[in-house]
């Protein structure tokens, strides 16, 4: 059923009958969101001629497109991951810069998700739409803060779109980790964190909490972390774990991609405490499923309260939900008289894909 | 409360007993009275709140959330307390006017509250606590902490606080009340041991070492007595008289858990006037027409908070006594076993109660002779009870009753386990230290040309064997279902494991219709092709003809 809805041809008449001619600006195709007037896809999940990319996570930023327009940081991250030849031509856009695309004005604005992450605003004769990409409203010292944009239609993620997801203050979660280090100084503390964004945020939070020992990282995080440091994000003494180090890291904090927590790699550490920094850790069953002993609820996505608040604050009368718990937020919008619909875009927000991708890197 | 909640949260995820103890001891050392005392009470099951029911929580939540969003959330989270804890629309932190309630506030509040005040009181606490705090509060009042901490472990942590032995805590425990100010004062060296003595205290039991076959060269058969090792559960039946002359009787498990509520039939017996004050160590069994029933039957009476008359009649409980620790106020634990045994025998004879008897001694003059009895209890006097025997116990005739597991006095010589060869079918990752290993194994035997799972085992192997099976699992995976891997098994391919187990019973809950008792991996049979693993008929035969006779010859040695 969802697949039928994904066809652009099937969607077009429905949207044309809506109160706002959003179809002029945006439709949904099998490759993802598409602006026909500008002839660009946004975060396409398969190769396209012209793509606008919100941020560098591998479910949104894929290799193999023709022309790519993105922030300087996002382009750099894509080059680090896929090699310099990840697309045919690249164009840098600064936050707030307005770019004309066949009469459509496109601009990129901070999303607060990871370094270089952006929301994309498209303005046309029929109105203004904002595509959020992934975003958060909570403070993050490693990237620019979310900028609120007023718009007619808001295309939002809803990774944590259930009211049970209310992220606590990240500093409190890091304090939990540090208390565990004090109580178990003979055990290594392994913290699973996505290599792009989450890992560097945790490092920065640790520094802000006064942890001044070296922070050890898995090899898969090395390039991205070095990139953050070259972008003036001060993370202190970061060291890559070598095979020989592992047995000696009692009492230390080691960051690794989530997939490595339960893999052969983790075995050589002294009686490791396995921690995982993720919004999913809010739910006990999820933490237990992964065999996590110290769940740290630290998320780079909006939680339920911020998601609802953002929808209201954008002033949008129409809300499209790209991925996550679409049904719940669509229901919430409808109870408030907003026109909302789920897009069911396949391929976004797949933690496991992300984790496996990072693990292999 | 938030500190206690954080402790519960951490304990729920921590798999290792030693690390749990560390967390508990750290908590007791750093949290003041009376907060820590109420925490101890919560973990030892000493708190109960009559009026707090899940329905109150549901109603409170329904007033505060959209029913569709609640249903979606509950469906995702899968646990009512946790769903409510996360979903509860707490006011902004800076708008809260009071500090969050302490555990002591909550305990006092619940004790003082009338039933009709409860919803409002609960709602105000839920407003003031954070997510973890709300979760802990809801778990606490609905009586389901499920954090993997036994009362015994919590008491051990308190003992560690002041370098005491856990059994010293047990001796005074039943005379103490939350929040245990006198207990903490004593373990921290600020006061004398609480003077109140429980009229029916738990006494830390004396445990036996597993017998090594080499031990026989060192042990003299003449100084040991032997008894059957019964396949029930070990209990301590204690009767005493309190200051006001009232009879107090309790039935304890081996770990000091109070089982009295589930066995009113035995309690009634113990309270009969002619029993006097006593402490008996023995086996809890189900006896019908003088015959001991299987462990599976006994399980019908275990883990219950209360029990119906029907169940009591259907599964009559019985104590088979093997030691006497105290009689009419006289502590016999320093006496040699021979003395205690003689006093026990005359006591049991004098009481002449149909629900209490003496565990018989096995006559033997050499280890060979005892070995024969162990192999064939039916021929050695156990007759129709042979199936409820899981080996023999050896006790030094001069042994005092020493709490714990002293060396060289008592031995258990379990019967050889049953063995089958089974094919590894599924593997799942372990927990804690083992989270990087596939260490939980489901294995099966042949039924026609198909393999049917017959059990699960997650120990018995050496560290080397674990690594070897882990490697095998990683390189022979056919399918993945979340954390579970399905392995390549067929008539041509598969890893054969020798499984040792203690018993077999019918079980409608398992696909094969069988349930194994205490299965473990005894070795890897690399030499054996999958097709030569055992067939379901071999297990059926064990069930049909009785385990003793149909068991395959145990491995040599």
């Amino acid at each position: 059923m969802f697949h039928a809805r994904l066809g652009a041809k099937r969607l077009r008449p429905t949207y044309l009958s809506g109160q706002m001619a959003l179809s002029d600006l945006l439709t949904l195709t099998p490759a993802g969101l598409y602006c026909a007037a500008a002839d660009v896809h946004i975060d396409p999940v398969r190769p396209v001629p012209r793509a606008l990319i919100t941020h560098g996570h591998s479910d949104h930023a894929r290799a193999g497109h023709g022309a790519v327009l993105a922030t300087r940081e996002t382009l750099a991250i894509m080059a680090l991951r896929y090699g310099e030849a990840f697309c045919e031509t690249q164009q840098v856009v600064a936050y707030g810069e307005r770019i004309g695309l066949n009469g459509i004005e496109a601009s990129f604005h901070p999303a607060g998700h990871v370094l270089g992450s952006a929301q994309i605003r498209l303005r046309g004769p029929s109105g203004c739409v904002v595509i959020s990409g992934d975003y958060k409203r909570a403070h993050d010292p490693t990237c620019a803060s979310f900028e609120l944009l007023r718009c007619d239609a808001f295309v939002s993620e809803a990774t944590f779109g259930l009211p049970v997801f209310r992220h606590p203050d990240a500093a409190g979660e890091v304090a939990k980790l540090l208390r565990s280090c004090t109580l178990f100084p003979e055990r290594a503390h392994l913290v699973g964190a996505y290599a792009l964004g989450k890992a560097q945020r945790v490092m920065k939070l640790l520094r802000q909490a006064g942890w001044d020992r070296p922070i050890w990282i898995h090899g898969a995080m090395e390039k991205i972390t070095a990139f953050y440091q070259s972008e003036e994000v001060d993370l202190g003494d970061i060291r890559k774990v070598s095979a020989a180090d592992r047995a000696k890291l009692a009492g230390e904090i080691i960051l690794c991609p989530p997939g490595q927590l339960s893999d052969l790699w983790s075995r050589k550490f002294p009686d490791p405490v396995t921690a995982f920094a993720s919004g999913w850790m809010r739910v006990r069953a999820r933490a237990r499923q992964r065999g996590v002993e110290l769940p740290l609820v630290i998320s780079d996505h909006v939680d339920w309260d911020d998601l609802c608040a953002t929808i209201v604050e954008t002033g949008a009368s129409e809300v499209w939900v790209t991925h996550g718990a679409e049904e719940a937020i669509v229901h919430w919008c409808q109870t408030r008289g907003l026109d909302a619909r789920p897009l069911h875009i396949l391929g976004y927000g797949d933690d496991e894909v992300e984790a496996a991708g990072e693990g292999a890197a | 409360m938030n500190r206690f909640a954080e402790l519960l949260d951490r304990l729920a995820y921590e798999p290792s007993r030693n690390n749990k103890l560390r967390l508990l001891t750290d908590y007791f050392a750093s949290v003041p009275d009376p907060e820590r005392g109420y925490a101890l009470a919560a973990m030892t099951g000493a708190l109960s709140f009559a009026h707090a029911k899940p329905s109150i929580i549901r109603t409170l939540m329904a007033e505060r959330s959209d029913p569709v969003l609640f249903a979606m959330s509950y469906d995702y989270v899968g646990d009512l307390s946790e769903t409510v804890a996360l979903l509860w629309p707490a006011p902004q932190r800076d708008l809260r006017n009071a500090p969050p309630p302490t555990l002591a506030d909550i305990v006092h509040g619940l004790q003082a509250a009338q039933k009709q005040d409860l919803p409002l009181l609960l709602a105000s606490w839920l407003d003031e606590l954070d997510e973890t705090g709300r979760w802990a509060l809801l778990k606490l009042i609905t009586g389901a902490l499920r954090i993997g901490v036994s009362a015994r472990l919590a008491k051990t942590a308190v003992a560690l606080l002041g370098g005491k032995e856990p059994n010293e805590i047990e001796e005074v425990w039943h005379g103490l009340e939350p929040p245990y100010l006198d207990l903490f004062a004593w373990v921290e060296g600020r006061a004398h041991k609480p003077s109140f003595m429980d009229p029916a205290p738990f006494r830390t039991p004396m445990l036996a070492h597993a017998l090594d076959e080499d031990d026989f060269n060192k042990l003299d058969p003449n100084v040991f007595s032997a008894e059957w090792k019964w396949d029930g559960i070990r209990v301590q039946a204690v009767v005493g008289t309190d200051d006001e002359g009232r009879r107090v009787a309790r039935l304890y498990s081996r770990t000091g858990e109070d089982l009295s509520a589930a066995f009113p039939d035995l309690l009634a017996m113990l309270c009969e006037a002619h029993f006097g004050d006593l402490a008996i160590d023995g086996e809890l069994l189900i006896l019908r027409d003088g015959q001991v029933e299987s462990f599976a039957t006994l399980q019908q009476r275990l883990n219950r908070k209360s029990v119906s008359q029907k169940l009591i009649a259907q599964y009559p409980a019985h104590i088979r006594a093997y030691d006497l620790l105290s009689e009419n106020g006289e502590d016999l634990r320093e006496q040699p076993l021979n003395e205690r045994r003689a006093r026990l025998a005359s006591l049991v004879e004098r009481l002449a109660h149909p629900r209490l008897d003496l565990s018989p001694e096995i006559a033997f003059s050499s280890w060979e002779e005892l070995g024969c009895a162990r192999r064939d209890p039916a021929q050695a006097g156990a007759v129709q009870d042979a199936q409820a025997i899981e080996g023999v116990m050896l006790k030094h005739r001069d042994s005092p009753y020493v709490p714990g597991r002293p060396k060289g006095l008592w031995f258990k010589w379990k019967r050889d386990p049953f063995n089958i060869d089974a094919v590894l079918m599924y593997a799942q990752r372990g927990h804690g230290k083992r989270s990087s290993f596939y260490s939980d194994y489901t294995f099966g035997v042949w039924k026609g040309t198909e393999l049917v799972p017959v059990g699960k085992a997650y120990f018995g192997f050496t560290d080397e064997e674990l690594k070897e099976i882990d490697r095998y699992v990683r390189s022979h995976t056919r399918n993945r279902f979340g954390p579970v891997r399905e392995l390549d098994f067929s008539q041509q391919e598969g890893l054969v494991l020798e499984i040792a187990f203690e018993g077999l019973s019918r079980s409608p809950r398992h696909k094969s219709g069988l349930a194994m008792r205490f299965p473990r991996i005894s070795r890897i049979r690399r030499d054996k092709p999958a097709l030569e693993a055992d067939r379901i008929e071999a297990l059926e035969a064990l069930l049909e003809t009785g385990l003793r006779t149909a068991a395959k010859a145990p491995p040599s040695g």
Side-chain angles (χ1 to χ4, degrees), chain A residues 115-140:
Chain A
L115 188 60
S117 67
Q119 313 168 72
I120 296 176
R121 181 168 67 187
L122 299 176
R123 222 197 275 271
S126 58
C128 165
V129 54
V130 169
I131 299 120
S132 75
D134 289 343
Y135 67 107
K136 70 170 175 289
R137 308 284 304 260
H139 177 67
D140 180 344

mmCIF file of all heavy atoms in Angstrom, chain A residues 115-140:
data_model
loop_
_atom_site.group_PDB
_atom_site.id
_atom_site.type_symbol
_atom_site.label_atom_id
_atom_site.label_comp_id
_atom_site.label_asym_id
_atom_site.label_seq_id
_atom_site.Cartn_x
_atom_site.Cartn_y
_atom_site.Cartn_z
ATOM 1 N N LEU A 115 27.509 18.767 12.805
ATOM 2 C CA LEU A 115 28.275 19.825 12.156
ATOM 3 C C LEU A 115 27.854 19.939 10.684
ATOM 4 O O LEU A 115 27.859 18.957 9.951
ATOM 5 C CB LEU A 115 29.769 19.507 12.261
ATOM 6 C CG LEU A 115 30.748 20.594 11.810
ATOM 7 C CD1 LEU A 115 30.570 21.874 12.628
ATOM 8 C CD2 LEU A 115 32.185 20.101 11.923
ATOM 9 N N GLY A 116 27.482 21.151 10.264
ATOM 10 C CA GLY A 116 27.103 21.392 8.874
ATOM 11 C C GLY A 116 25.667 21.057 8.533
ATOM 12 O O GLY A 116 25.232 21.272 7.400
ATOM 13 N N SER A 117 24.899 20.539 9.480
ATOM 14 C CA SER A 117 23.533 20.106 9.150
ATOM 15 C C SER A 117 22.637 21.310 8.883
ATOM 16 O O SER A 117 22.791 22.365 9.489
ATOM 17 C CB SER A 117 22.945 19.262 10.277
ATOM 18 O OG SER A 117 22.755 20.054 11.423
ATOM 19 N N ALA A 118 21.703 21.138 7.955
ATOM 20 C CA ALA A 118 20.867 22.255 7.543
ATOM 21 C C ALA A 118 19.425 21.834 7.349
ATOM 22 O O ALA A 118 19.120 20.677 7.030
ATOM 23 C CB ALA A 118 21.406 22.830 6.239
ATOM 24 N N GLN A 119 18.531 22.821 7.563
ATOM 25 C CA GLN A 119 17.172 22.701 7.045
ATOM 26 C C GLN A 119 17.212 23.382 5.681
ATOM 27 O O GLN A 119 17.985 24.303 5.472
ATOM 28 C CB GLN A 119 16.174 23.450 7.909
ATOM 29 C CG GLN A 119 16.294 23.206 9.402
ATOM 30 C CD GLN A 119 15.461 24.214 10.175
ATOM 31 O OE1 GLN A 119 14.244 24.148 10.170
ATOM 32 N NE2 GLN A 119 16.127 25.151 10.823
ATOM 33 N N ILE A 120 16.355 22.958 4.774
ATOM 34 C CA ILE A 120 16.339 23.583 3.453
ATOM 35 C C ILE A 120 14.995 24.270 3.255
ATOM 36 O O ILE A 120 13.941 23.658 3.453
ATOM 37 C CB ILE A 120 16.593 22.529 2.355
ATOM 38 C CG1 ILE A 120 18.006 21.955 2.534
ATOM 39 C CG2 ILE A 120 16.421 23.160 0.969
ATOM 40 C CD1 ILE A 120 18.340 20.828 1.577
ATOM 41 N N ARG A 121 15.073 25.580 2.901
ATOM 42 C CA ARG A 121 13.830 26.320 2.635
ATOM 43 C C ARG A 121 13.699 26.530 1.127
ATOM 44 O O ARG A 121 14.643 26.980 0.481
ATOM 45 C CB ARG A 121 13.846 27.662 3.343
ATOM 46 C CG ARG A 121 12.539 28.446 3.111
ATOM 47 C CD ARG A 121 12.415 29.624 4.016
ATOM 48 N NE ARG A 121 13.412 30.635 3.704
ATOM 49 C CZ ARG A 121 13.614 31.725 4.445
ATOM 50 N NH1 ARG A 121 12.918 31.914 5.549
ATOM 51 N NH2 ARG A 121 14.540 32.602 4.108
ATOM 52 N N LEU A 122 12.533 26.196 0.590
ATOM 53 C CA LEU A 122 12.251 26.436 -0.830
ATOM 54 C C LEU A 122 11.100 27.435 -0.905
ATOM 55 O O LEU A 122 10.058 27.232 -0.260
ATOM 56 C CB LEU A 122 11.843 25.128 -1.531
ATOM 57 C CG LEU A 122 12.880 24.000 -1.533
ATOM 58 C CD1 LEU A 122 12.291 22.743 -2.163
ATOM 59 C CD2 LEU A 122 14.148 24.416 -2.278
ATOM 60 N N ARG A 123 11.342 28.518 -1.649
ATOM 61 C CA ARG A 123 10.285 29.527 -1.771
ATOM 62 C C ARG A 123 9.908 29.667 -3.235
ATOM 63 O O ARG A 123 10.785 29.846 -4.088
ATOM 64 C CB ARG A 123 10.833 30.865 -1.272
ATOM 65 C CG ARG A 123 9.863 31.643 -0.408
ATOM 66 C CD ARG A 123 10.313 33.067 -0.316
ATOM 67 N NE ARG A 123 11.294 33.325 0.713
ATOM 68 C CZ ARG A 123 10.974 33.657 1.964
ATOM 69 N NH1 ARG A 123 9.712 33.724 2.327
ATOM 70 N NH2 ARG A 123 11.912 33.931 2.826
ATOM 71 N N GLY A 124 8.624 29.561 -3.539
ATOM 72 C CA GLY A 124 8.149 29.692 -4.913
ATOM 73 C C GLY A 124 6.946 30.605 -4.949
ATOM 74 O O GLY A 124 6.543 31.128 -3.898
ATOM 75 N N PRO A 125 6.366 30.768 -6.091
ATOM 76 C CA PRO A 125 5.211 31.655 -6.229
ATOM 77 C C PRO A 125 4.032 31.204 -5.353
ATOM 78 O O PRO A 125 3.255 32.023 -4.877
ATOM 79 C CB PRO A 125 4.842 31.537 -7.705
ATOM 80 C CG PRO A 125 5.876 30.700 -8.363
ATOM 81 C CD PRO A 125 6.782 30.137 -7.353
ATOM 82 N N SER A 126 3.937 29.895 -5.140
ATOM 83 C CA SER A 126 2.759 29.402 -4.428
ATOM 84 C C SER A 126 2.965 29.350 -2.916
ATOM 85 O O SER A 126 2.036 29.027 -2.181
ATOM 86 C CB SER A 126 2.402 28.012 -4.942
ATOM 87 O OG SER A 126 3.511 27.164 -4.760
ATOM 88 N N GLY A 127 4.173 29.607 -2.422
ATOM 89 C CA GLY A 127 4.373 29.560 -0.978
ATOM 90 C C GLY A 127 5.773 29.130 -0.607
ATOM 91 O O GLY A 127 6.692 29.148 -1.440
ATOM 92 N N CYS A 128 5.903 28.735 0.648
ATOM 93 C CA CYS A 128 7.229 28.455 1.201
ATOM 94 C C CYS A 128 7.184 27.140 1.967
ATOM 95 O O CYS A 128 6.288 26.913 2.795
ATOM 96 C CB CYS A 128 7.595 29.613 2.125
ATOM 97 S SG CYS A 128 8.952 29.266 3.203
ATOM 98 N N VAL A 129 8.139 26.256 1.662
ATOM 99 C CA VAL A 129 8.195 24.981 2.374
ATOM 100 C C VAL A 129 9.582 24.820 2.996
ATOM 101 O O VAL A 129 10.583 25.216 2.404
ATOM 102 C CB VAL A 129 7.845 23.803 1.420
ATOM 103 C CG1 VAL A 129 8.701 23.801 0.184
ATOM 104 C CG2 VAL A 129 7.972 22.473 2.121
ATOM 105 N N VAL A 130 9.593 24.249 4.219
ATOM 106 C CA VAL A 130 10.875 23.981 4.883
ATOM 107 C C VAL A 130 11.004 22.471 5.085
ATOM 108 O O VAL A 130 10.092 21.833 5.621
ATOM 109 C CB VAL A 130 10.972 24.708 6.236
ATOM 110 C CG1 VAL A 130 12.174 24.208 7.038
ATOM 111 C CG2 VAL A 130 11.102 26.215 6.011
ATOM 112 N N ILE A 131 12.147 21.942 4.622
ATOM 113 C CA ILE A 131 12.447 20.522 4.838
ATOM 114 C C ILE A 131 13.462 20.464 5.976
ATOM 115 O O ILE A 131 14.574 20.981 5.858
ATOM 116 C CB ILE A 131 13.020 19.882 3.562
ATOM 117 C CG1 ILE A 131 11.979 19.976 2.432
ATOM 118 C CG2 ILE A 131 13.414 18.438 3.797
ATOM 119 C CD1 ILE A 131 12.477 20.740 1.249
ATOM 120 N N SER A 132 13.070 19.842 7.069
ATOM 121 C CA SER A 132 13.891 19.951 8.287
ATOM 122 C C SER A 132 15.176 19.143 8.207
ATOM 123 O O SER A 132 16.141 19.463 8.866
ATOM 124 C CB SER A 132 13.079 19.478 9.490
ATOM 125 O OG SER A 132 12.988 18.060 9.481
ATOM 126 N N GLY A 133 15.203 18.084 7.402
ATOM 127 C CA GLY A 133 16.288 17.118 7.563
ATOM 128 C C GLY A 133 16.174 16.553 8.965
ATOM 129 O O GLY A 133 15.079 16.520 9.530
ATOM 130 N N ASP A 134 17.280 16.090 9.565
ATOM 131 C CA ASP A 134 17.251 15.702 10.976
ATOM 132 C C ASP A 134 17.613 16.941 11.778
ATOM 133 O O ASP A 134 18.476 17.709 11.370
ATOM 134 C CB ASP A 134 18.255 14.578 11.236
ATOM 135 C CG ASP A 134 17.794 13.249 10.611
ATOM 136 O OD1 ASP A 134 16.604 13.140 10.280
ATOM 137 O OD2 ASP A 134 18.639 12.349 10.448
ATOM 138 N N TYR A 135 16.975 17.140 12.914
ATOM 139 C CA TYR A 135 17.246 18.350 13.697
ATOM 140 C C TYR A 135 16.998 18.150 15.170
ATOM 141 O O TYR A 135 16.340 17.196 15.581
ATOM 142 C CB TYR A 135 16.406 19.528 13.194
ATOM 143 C CG TYR A 135 14.899 19.398 13.411
ATOM 144 C CD1 TYR A 135 14.250 20.159 14.382
ATOM 145 C CD2 TYR A 135 14.134 18.529 12.639
ATOM 146 C CE1 TYR A 135 12.868 20.060 14.572
ATOM 147 C CE2 TYR A 135 12.759 18.428 12.818
ATOM 148 C CZ TYR A 135 12.130 19.192 13.792
ATOM 149 O OH TYR A 135 10.774 19.087 13.972
ATOM 150 N N LYS A 136 17.575 19.031 15.968
ATOM 151 C CA LYS A 136 17.247 19.076 17.395
ATOM 152 C C LYS A 136 17.280 20.505 17.888
ATOM 153 O O LYS A 136 17.939 21.350 17.292
ATOM 154 C CB LYS A 136 18.192 18.191 18.217
ATOM 155 C CG LYS A 136 19.620 18.680 18.333
ATOM 156 C CD LYS A 136 20.392 17.857 19.362
ATOM 157 C CE LYS A 136 21.857 18.226 19.444
ATOM 158 N NZ LYS A 136 22.653 17.820 18.268
ATOM 159 N N ARG A 137 16.554 20.751 18.967
ATOM 160 C CA ARG A 137 16.485 22.085 19.541
ATOM 161 C C ARG A 137 17.409 22.207 20.755
ATOM 162 O O ARG A 137 17.728 23.315 21.166
ATOM 163 C CB ARG A 137 15.047 22.418 19.973
ATOM 164 C CG ARG A 137 13.984 22.219 18.904
ATOM 165 C CD ARG A 137 13.948 23.298 17.850
ATOM 166 N NE ARG A 137 13.779 24.655 18.329
ATOM 167 C CZ ARG A 137 12.631 25.339 18.334
ATOM 168 N NH1 ARG A 137 11.518 24.763 17.921
ATOM 169 N NH2 ARG A 137 12.590 26.575 18.753
ATOM 170 N N ALA A 138 17.783 21.061 21.356
ATOM 171 C CA ALA A 138 18.643 21.096 22.541
ATOM 172 C C ALA A 138 20.015 21.656 22.163
ATOM 173 O O ALA A 138 20.470 21.488 21.032
ATOM 174 C CB ALA A 138 18.790 19.693 23.116
ATOM 175 N N HIS A 139 20.684 22.280 23.139
ATOM 176 C CA HIS A 139 21.981 22.880 22.887
ATOM 177 C C HIS A 139 23.030 21.816 22.551
ATOM 178 O O HIS A 139 23.063 20.755 23.163
ATOM 179 C CB HIS A 139 22.426 23.657 24.126
ATOM 180 C CG HIS A 139 23.793 24.239 23.978
ATOM 181 N ND1 HIS A 139 24.067 25.240 23.076
ATOM 182 C CD2 HIS A 139 24.969 23.949 24.587
ATOM 183 C CE1 HIS A 139 25.349 25.552 23.146
ATOM 184 N NE2 HIS A 139 25.919 24.781 24.052
ATOM 185 N N ASP A 140 23.851 22.106 21.577
ATOM 186 C CA ASP A 140 24.935 21.200 21.197
ATOM 187 C C ASP A 140 26.164 22.057 20.905
ATOM 188 O O ASP A 140 26.169 22.836 19.952
ATOM 189 C CB ASP A 140 24.508 20.402 19.953
ATOM 190 C CG ASP A 140 25.576 19.424 19.489
ATOM 191 O OD1 ASP A 140 26.745 19.559 19.917
ATOM 192 O OD2 ASP A 140 25.242 18.530 18.695
#
